[in-house]
């Protein structure tokens, strides 16, 4: 079914009808006797999107030195700027850097946001706050653009976070409370993809148990991670099979090592070589497949239709906007504005009245004080007069 319950692939017989009539009208199936050309719509969409370019924003949440920058470099086959963080940051701060990338004729404006100093403070109670604030600030910027009279969403640099890679330390034990608290605070705002960092430091049998432990902890704490979509035929199978491997255990490296007669990205150890793109060694390829090659568009869409929509709704409700009145009748923007205006004027009047009352009271008080002073003055005058008489 298409939008508004209209079956796809059907053609309406009348052109001059209101949207309401269009929805309720019985649709007639007509066959075309010649080529019209609207079958080129998908191509038109592709061309338009290609010429506009795309935005994709990744947030890397993880402790200092856990391998965030290395993984980003490995994923995009390039060297992004990054300066290693010190372990003595007073708090968590977010650092965003944007890049223009091109593959074939597709331009991608990529923003990588790093959590600097995450996990380094003795008191980690507020570590999630700067991350939540950053995500909300990007939603707010988009909402402000949307609410402008002269909007330019067409060439707006969208900075909303599309994917949050949550780097889990390869402890082999369980999630830290910091991980659970942070993920719980973020899960309604962003698509979380949990990954086990530096997975070359954990043994194979331990890794399996570690993965199940993490997943069961996420479920028991009600943390919603990003679900790979399975509703579209073309990706349903791959997404369903990949979900089983979550959280992906990844290894990052941009170093090329000679393996056989080929060069491959790997990490070299005294006892052997870990190949980043070898699926028997780690899940790096699975992560790249899921994040970039299969679900990038879904991540962008989910950000807009789910997370941003929730932010927008809460924000507008907070501002007093609503779709229906108490009798469930549609409430227009104009009516909401009028209601808010009246409410504001009422409050203003109340304040004015309070101030007026206060003023009258103060005047009365002052009057009483003056009368009292006058009485005192008369008394003193009488006293002086008496003194004068006796002298
Ligand atoms: P900050 O930005 O300073 O917080 O660090 P980061 O999280 O960006 O980590 P970075 O990528 O700078 O890596 C820190 C160290 O970990 C470097 O010495 C990397 O070579 C190493 N490293 C990165 N990825 C891996 C990995 O998958 N396995 C192992 N064993 N080491 C890794
Ligand atoms: Mg880094």
């Amino acid at each position: 079914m298409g939008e508004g319950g209209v079956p796809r692939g059907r053609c309406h017989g009348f052109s001059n009808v209101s949207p309401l009539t269009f929805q309720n009208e019985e649709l007639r199936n007509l066959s075309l006797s010649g080529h019209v050309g609207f079958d080129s719509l998908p191509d038109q969409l592709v061309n338009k999107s290609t010429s506009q370019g795309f935005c994709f924003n990744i947030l890397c949440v993880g402790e200092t030195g856990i391998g965030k920058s290395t993984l980003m470099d490995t994923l995009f086959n390039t060297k992004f700027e990054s300066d290693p963080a010190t372990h003595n940051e007073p708090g968590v701060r977010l650092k965003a850097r944007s890049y223009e990338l091109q593959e074939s004729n597709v331009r991608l404006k990529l923003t990588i946001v790093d959590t600097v100093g995450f996990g380094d403070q003795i008191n980690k109670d507020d570590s999630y706050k700067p991350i939540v604030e950053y995500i909300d600030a990007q939603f707010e910027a988009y909402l402000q653009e949307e609410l402008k009279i002269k909007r330019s969403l067409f060439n707006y640099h969208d900075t909303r976070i599309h994917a949050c890679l949550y780097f889990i330390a390869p402890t082999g034990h369980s999630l830290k409370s910091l991980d659970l608290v942070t993920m719980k605070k973020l899960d309604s705002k962003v698509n979380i993809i949990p990954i086990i960092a530096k997975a070359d430091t954990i043994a194979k049998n331990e890794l399996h148990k570690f993965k199940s432990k993490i997943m069961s902890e996420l479920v028991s704490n009600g943390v919603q991670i990003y679900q790979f979509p399975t509703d579209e035929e073309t990706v349903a199978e791959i997404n369903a099979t990949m979900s089983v491997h979550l959280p992906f255990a990844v290894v990052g490296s941009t170093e090329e090592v000679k393996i056989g007669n080929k060069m491959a990205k790997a990490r070299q150890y005294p006892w052997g070589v870990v190949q980043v793109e070898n699926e028997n060694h780690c899940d790096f390829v699975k992560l790249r497949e899921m994040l970039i090659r299969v679900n990038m568009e879904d991540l962008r869409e989910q950000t807009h239709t789910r997370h941003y929509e929730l932010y927008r709704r809460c924000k507008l409700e907070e501002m007093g906007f609503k779709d229906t009145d108490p009798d469930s009748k549609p409430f227009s923007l104009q009516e909401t504005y009028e209601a808010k205006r009246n409410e504001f004027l009422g409050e203003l009047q109340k304040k004015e009245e309070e101030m007026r009352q206060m003023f009258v009271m103060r005047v009365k008080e002052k009057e009483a004080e003056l009368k009292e002073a006058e009485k005192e003055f008369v008394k003193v005058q009488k006293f002086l007069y008496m003194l004068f008489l006796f002298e």
Side-chain angles (χ1 to χ4, degrees):
M1 294 285 266
E3 259 177 60
V6 180
R8 284 203 184 115
R10 284 178 167 214
C11 180
H12 192 267
F14 310 94
S15 57
N16 198 11
V17 283
S18 73
L20 199 69
T21 335
F22 186 83
Q23 272 179 16
N24 298 335
E25 198 93 30
E26 257 301 303
L27 295 178
R28 285 190 294 149
N29 244 335
L30 298 181
S31 53
L32 309 170
S33 51
H35 182 239
V36 178
F38 58 78
D39 58 353
S40 72
L41 257 174
D43 301 329
Q44 292 177 33
L45 264 178
V46 170
N47 293 340
K48 194 172 152 199
S49 309
T50 313
S51 70
Q52 267 175 20
F54 298 86
C55 267
F56 194 67
N57 308 318
I58 303 179
L59 167 67
C60 295
V61 182
E63 295 164 17
T64 301
I66 203 164
K68 302 182 288 294
S69 306
T70 311
L71 189 76
M72 285 300 108
D73 291 352
T74 321
L75 269 175
F76 288 93
N77 253 327
T78 186
K79 177 89 193 89
F80 298 113
E81 310 155 63
S82 70
D83 3 78
T86 60
H87 285 278
N88 38 31
E89 290 278 339
V92 179
R93 65 189 165 84
L94 278 89
K95 190 163 192 170
R97 286 190 172 114
S98 295
Y99 307 88
E100 282 273 357
L101 308 179
Q102 179 148 2
E103 192 169 44
S104 310
N105 62 342
V106 179
R107 284 179 300 112
L108 181 72
K109 197 176 268 182
L110 177 75
T111 300
I112 298 175
V113 187
D114 230 324
T115 48
V116 182
F118 188 75
D120 284 335
Q121 296 73 37
I122 294 171
N123 182 350
K124 301 182 184 64
D125 288 357
D126 291 340
S127 295
Y128 70 88
K129 280 191 183 156
I131 309 175
V132 168
E133 282 165 12
Y134 180 89
I135 296 171
D136 281 349
Q138 313 319 307
F139 283 149
E140 185 60 31
Y142 191 88
L143 181 62
Q144 288 306 323
E145 188 61 40
E146 248 189 7
L147 295 177
K148 273 187 191 169
I149 295 176
K150 270 183 153 182
R151 303 186 285 183
S152 51
L153 289 169
F154 170 74
N155 54 2
Y156 177 78
H157 179 194
D158 190 0
T159 54
R160 293 171 300 172
I161 299 294
H162 300 118
C164 164
L165 290 183
Y166 195 96
F167 289 68
I168 298 165
T171 57
H173 286 259
S174 56
L175 287 169
K176 299 176 185 179
S177 53
L178 174 65
D179 298 330
L180 281 171
V181 170
T182 310
M183 283 198 252
K184 188 85 195 121
K185 294 284 180 191
L186 298 185
D187 72 354
S188 59
K189 296 181 177 289
V190 74
N191 299 312
I192 301 178
I193 303 178
I195 55 178
I196 300 170
K198 300 192 180 181
D200 50 326
T201 60
I202 188 164
K204 200 170 178 176
N205 57 345
E206 284 177 1
L207 183 64
H208 191 67
K209 280 191 215 138
F210 189 38
K211 280 190 176 188
S212 348
K213 184 90 200 289
I214 292 170
M215 290 314 278
S216 71
E217 276 185 325
L218 290 177
V219 171
S220 59
N221 286 281
V223 177
Q224 278 283 323
I225 58 168
Y226 172 64
Q227 301 294 315
F228 301 130
T230 47
D231 43 3
E232 207 187 302
E233 247 176 79
T234 48
V235 294
E237 198 183 325
I238 183 166
N239 278 343
T241 40
M242 291 289 182
S243 300
V244 182
H245 298 279
L246 278 168
F248 296 132
V250 296
V251 175
S253 174
T254 46
E255 200 187 317
E256 298 268 334
V257 174
K258 192 156 193 206
I259 292 152
N261 51 4
K262 274 204 233 151
M263 298 299 281
K265 286 197 212 80
R267 299 188 75 87
Q268 227 169 348
Y269 295 100
W271 54 88
V273 171
V274 179
Q275 295 168 42
V276 169
E277 292 179 343
N278 184 332
E279 290 205 52
N280 291 321
H281 292 190
C282 74
D283 300 332
F284 172 82
V285 169
K286 294 187 180 73
L287 172 68
R288 187 175 60 195
E289 207 70 9
M290 290 294 94
L291 178 72
I292 304 174
R293 298 190 181 170
V294 180
N295 297 310
M296 208 174 208
E297 184 46 29
D298 186 71
L299 284 159
R300 284 160 32 91
E301 198 181 302
Q302 291 290 322
T303 303
H304 187 70
T305 56
R306 217 171 114 223
H307 302 300
Y308 171 67
E309 203 56 29
L310 180 63
Y311 177 85
R312 182 182 170 278
R313 191 176 49 167
C314 295
K315 197 71 196 196
L316 294 184
E317 276 172 1
E318 209 177 89
M319 285 159 76
F321 290 101
K322 40 189 176 256
D323 290 332
T324 51
D325 66 8
D327 308 322
S328 307
K329 292 211 183 91
F331 211 52
S332 73
L333 204 67
Q334 177 70 21
E335 283 169 308
T336 309
Y337 170 74
E338 293 288 343
K340 270 271 141 195
R341 192 166 174 272
N342 289 340
E343 192 184 310
F344 175 72
L345 287 178
E347 265 172 36
L348 206 70
Q349 257 173 4
K350 212 170 109 192
K351 278 232 164 70
E352 233 175 65
E353 184 58 26
E354 274 171 18
M355 280 171 76
R356 209 178 57 80
Q357 299 267 351
M358 183 102 82
F359 180 73
V360 171
M361 225 167 71
R362 293 292 290 274
V363 170
K364 278 187 181 154
E365 272 172 22
K366 277 280 166 223
E367 252 175 26
E369 275 175 30
L370 276 172
K371 271 190 186 144
E372 204 53 40
E374 203 181 321
K375 270 189 207 161
E376 285 296 312
F377 179 68
V378 172
K379 265 192 212 164
V380 173
Q381 231 181 2
K382 273 186 188 162
F383 179 69
L384 289 174
Y385 182 65
M386 298 287 270
L387 271 182
F388 177 71
L389 277 186
F390 282 114
E391 267 183 23

